[in-house]
Structure formats: C-alpha cells, structure tokens
Amino acid sequence: MSDGGIIVLDGNTLRSLHVSLPEDRVTLTGAQVLDFAESEASQSLFGISLPPHLKSSALRRINIDGVDDDTSFRSTELSREEASRKLSDYLSAIADVLKDNPLVVSILDGNTLRMFLEDEDDFAMIAENLFTDLDTEDKGKISKSEIRNAVVHMGVEMGVPPLEEFPLLNDILKKHEEEEGELGQSQFAELLQPILQELADALAKKHVAFIHKIKIVNGSEIRKVLADEKKLNDVIAKALHGKHKNDQKSTEIIRDFLEKNGKELGLPPSEANEAVILLYDAVFTDIDSGKDVSLDEDESRKLVREILENFAEQLEANPVYCDLDG
C-alpha cells in the first residue's frame, strides 16, 4: 500500500493468520515461542516493530505478568503441543490488544515522493516553501548544510521517514553534504531533486512502516465498564453523588462528570478536538434531558448505562482519533 494515507491495524489480519511451528522442533523454550510469534505478527503487520506496550499488554492476557513471570516463562521448556497452544494464545492476545487499541501507521514506499518529483509545479512549490522556511534572515541564500533540515522537515506526510526509522536516509544526505557553501533558491531545488529521487528509489526497495502517535477511541473500553457491574456502580456513584448544583438536571451532572473523568472510562478527552464536542452533543441529544436530579438507584443505573451505551455505539460507528502529542 502506498504512503499517501494512514492504515489502521486493528488485529483482524492476525485473526486470519495460520502459523505453524518449525517442523524440526520437538521442544521449544518460552522465549523461542514468543520471538517466533512476534516475528510472524510483525510480518503480517507490514513489518512494524511491535511496540513494547503492545507486547506487555498481550503477555498479561496470557497470564505472563511482570519481569519475574516473563523471565520464568522464557526459560521454560515446552513440548510441541504446549508451544503451539501458547503461540496461538499469544497471537490472539496481540489481536485483542489491537482491537481495543488499534495502531495507526503509514507505509512509506516512495510513491508520494515520486508524485511530487513527476509534477514540476508541485516540486517547484515544495522547494520554494522549504527554502523560504529555512531562509530565516531573508537573504536569498542558505547554507548547503541546511538541505538535511529541509528533507527532515518534509516529514512522514510528504513521504519522508524519520532518520532513526530509516538510517539509509542519513547515508543519502551525507553524499550531498560533502562540499560547503551557500545555495540560492534554484540551486537548492537542483540539489533537493536528486536526493528525493534517491530516497524514493531506496524506499521502493525497502518500505518503512511508521507508527503515528495517535490513539483511536472506538468504544471498546467503555463496553468493558458496562460489562463489569462493580465498575459500573462505581461510575454511577461518582457521577451522581459528587458535587453539583442543586438545580442541575441529571444529564447535566453526568455530562460534567464524563467531560472531567471520561478518559478513565475510555472516552476521548473532552478538549481533544471538535469531533469530541460533536460526539458529546450527539449522545446527549439522544438522551431525555428532562430527567429530574433525584433518581433512585435503579433509575440512575439505567440512565448512566444508557448514556455509556450510546457513547460506545457512536464511537464504534465513528471512532475518534486523538493526537498523543497534542
């Protein structure tokens, strides 16, 4: 898939994955099973390196929790049958974690860069904008060494991987940084073009899967609260029996509580973006706003459950993307 947009990894590809242990192995250690599972998962997920939080969450789901458990399991000798079962369990756990917390990735394969290079007007505009940004003193000249900053500044959105994700980019830049001096705008464009062409060719041979710092809120965490009667009762108690004005309606009290504490329940932060404001408006528009403040416990539970179920349905249909750097 080309690097023009983003891909959501929600575990579905892992669920259809059929993996078998190497035929020549009668026994395996726990470490070998985990490494094999992670390698297979990575290959099916565009070659991404599985983030540590994803692996640790998946291990907890198969009862390997903490350093001691992990060390003990990795050194354990498993029969082929035990190893196969644990392999399947671990891959399923990774898929489950991704269902609750999908990863957002871009596959950088050089296509976006080639599109810019093939369109003279687009390339000229990009080169001009980059040059202007770097010419902070408005001299009409920049140091040749600034070409590195220009390429890095283009970023993933324009098809350029971070240096730490693609070390070959550093080698490409070094070849064009050997001579010192200054560049005018046209000279800058002339130097930029072969660098981007070489980078596009390199990415075509070896794609880069870049994981964005984005959290997708899809309602799965709220459903866990709804399925846990104790947690649900705790939410009801905190939502309806906390501090509030005497003349506030029940829905107003609950909305205030969720806007302040919803993140703990799996709701997107109320200040995240306009989509979250629209989400809250859509949910509470569907709820009877005329309910009185004084509700008995059963009515309170029914009202909070109805609101949370509405949130879960809305988020499942239209997940909210939250920038973790925001």
Side-chain angles (χ1 to χ4, degrees):
M1 190 170 293
S2 68
D3 50 16
I6 62 173
I7 302 168
V8 176
L9 303 180
D10 58 6
N12 279 341
T13 56
L14 291 181
R15 296 186 192 285
S16 58
L17 193 63
H18 299 288
V19 178
S20 298
L21 293 167
E23 291 292 338
D24 59 340
R25 304 305 299 267
V26 178
T27 63
L28 296 96
T29 64
Q32 289 172 323
V33 173
L34 297 184
D35 290 345
F36 183 71
E38 289 165 9
S39 175
E40 292 294 319
S42 175
Q43 288 181 41
S44 72
L45 299 173
F46 301 97
I48 67 168
S49 178
L50 301 184
H53 71 82
L54 170 59
K55 292 189 285 188
S56 61
S57 295
L59 288 171
R60 283 196 296 272
R61 294 188 183 213
I62 58 172
N63 300 317
I64 301 176
D65 191 4
V67 175
D68 291 341
D69 282 351
D70 183 69
T71 303
S72 175
F73 176 77
R74 286 179 180 276
S75 61
T76 301
E77 192 89 1
L78 303 172
S79 69
R80 186 174 181 83
E81 182 180 349
E82 291 172 325
S84 294
R85 187 164 54 249
K86 190 60 72 172
L87 170 64
S88 176
D89 289 347
Y90 189 30
L91 287 172
S92 294
I94 293 173
D96 289 341
V97 174
L98 287 172
K99 180 181 178 181
D100 290 344
N101 293 286
L103 294 178
V104 180
V105 303
S106 287
I107 309 303
L108 308 180
D109 60 9
N111 278 351
T112 297
L113 290 172
R114 278 191 290 275
M115 287 172 56
F116 290 137
L117 291 166
E118 290 168 1
D119 189 310
E120 292 184 7
D121 292 337
D122 279 353
F123 176 73
M125 183 170 63
I126 290 169
E128 180 181 353
N129 290 340
L130 289 170
F131 184 88
T132 301
D133 289 343
L134 293 169
D135 184 19
T136 55
E137 297 180 7
D138 201 22
K139 297 191 304 181
K141 295 277 186 180
I142 62 170
S143 169
K144 191 175 182 181
S145 62
E146 290 285 1
I147 196 73
R148 174 179 291 266
N149 292 333
V151 174
V152 173
H153 183 69
M154 290 177 69
V156 172
E157 291 75 13
M158 299 185 74
V160 177
L163 281 168
E164 62 273 17
E165 300 276 346
F166 196 62
L168 186 56
L169 174 55
N170 191 51
D171 297 336
I172 294 171
L173 289 168
K174 279 184 178 179
K175 287 194 296 186
H176 297 273
E177 292 175 331
E178 293 175 354
E179 297 179 10
E180 296 182 0
E182 289 190 322
L183 301 169
Q185 185 174 315
S186 61
Q187 294 169 308
F188 170 79
E190 289 173 6
L191 180 59
L192 180 65
Q193 189 169 21
I195 292 175
L196 296 185
Q197 184 62 64
E198 192 170 345
L199 176 57
D201 293 342
L203 287 170
K205 295 176 182 176
K206 184 179 180 181
H207 302 176
V208 172
F210 175 79
I211 302 176
H212 293 271
K213 293 182 179 179
I214 293 174
K215 179 177 176 59
I216 298 180
V217 184
N218 57 13
S220 62
E221 293 180 48
I222 303 174
R223 293 198 183 280
K224 290 180 182 179
V225 174
L226 289 165
D228 188 322
E229 206 63 32
K230 183 178 183 302
K231 286 184 179 179
L232 183 59
N233 287 335
D234 287 343
V235 171
I236 292 169
K238 291 176 182 177
L240 295 178
H241 304 309
K243 292 182 179 179
H244 56 79
K245 298 176 182 177
N246 291 331
D247 59 348
Q248 273 188 299
K249 296 176 181 177
S250 295
T251 48
E252 293 173 344
I253 295 170
I254 296 170
R255 178 164 183 162
D256 285 348
F257 170 79
L258 292 178
E259 287 181 347
K260 294 174 183 176
N261 305 283
K263 189 176 179 181
E264 300 172 14
L265 306 176
L267 288 172
S270 58
E271 72 279 3
N273 51 48
E274 187 178 354
V276 180
I277 297 173
L278 294 175
L279 169 66
Y280 270 81
D281 288 345
V283 167
F284 282 91
T285 297
D286 290 342
I287 301 295
D288 179 13
S289 60
K291 294 182 188 270
D292 187 72
V293 174
S294 56
L295 298 173
D296 63 33
E297 197 67 21
D298 288 339
E299 291 173 321
S300 298
R301 181 177 290 104
K302 183 179 178 181
L303 177 60
V304 175
R305 184 187 292 274
E306 183 182 355
I307 290 171
L308 292 179
E309 285 176 346
N310 204 332
F311 267 115
E313 290 170 7
Q314 294 274 357
L315 287 167
E316 185 175 7
N318 298 289
V320 172
Y321 289 56
C322 299
D323 186 349
L324 297 179
D325 282 336

